[in-house]
Amino acid sequence: RLQGDWSSDVCSSDLRADREAFILHASEGFTLDEIAVITDREPEEVRGSIELAREHLRHLAPLASRFNQQAVS
């Protein structure tokens, strides 16, 4: 297994954990403490995951609007 493959797997699982925490909190209404119990993580880790997921979405918003503009044109 190549070093690059291993690091992309780590990034992928980190993104999955961030996305999971964000969805449980924003969509399902779970508290940080509840998500920590569900995911077997510390509440501060959960908070960090939610913040990272929000930041990721903020960066995707301009990209999505560019695709929408191209599709309409």
Side-chain angles (χ1 to χ4, degrees), residues 2-73:
L2 298 173
Q3 179 70 22
D5 292 342
W6 178 82
S7 63
S8 66
D9 288 350
V10 170
C11 290
S12 176
S13 65
D14 288 348
L15 290 174
R16 187 175 18 255
D18 296 345
R19 184 174 47 243
E20 176 183 58
F22 178 80
I23 290 170
L24 287 171
H25 183 68
S27 296
E28 302 297 331
F30 285 92
T31 67
L32 296 177
D33 291 331
E34 291 170 328
I35 297 168
V37 170
I38 292 167
T39 61
D40 195 30
R41 298 169 66 200
E42 293 296 319
E44 285 307 310
E45 288 179 272
V46 172
R47 181 186 311 279
S49 283
I50 291 168
E51 289 172 5
L52 287 171
R54 283 182 180 142
E55 191 62 29
H56 183 74
L57 288 172
R58 283 186 194 111
H59 288 293
L60 288 179
L63 180 63
S65 68
R66 278 189 260 153
F67 282 118
N68 286 338
Q69 289 171 356
Q70 289 176 355
V72 173
S73 300

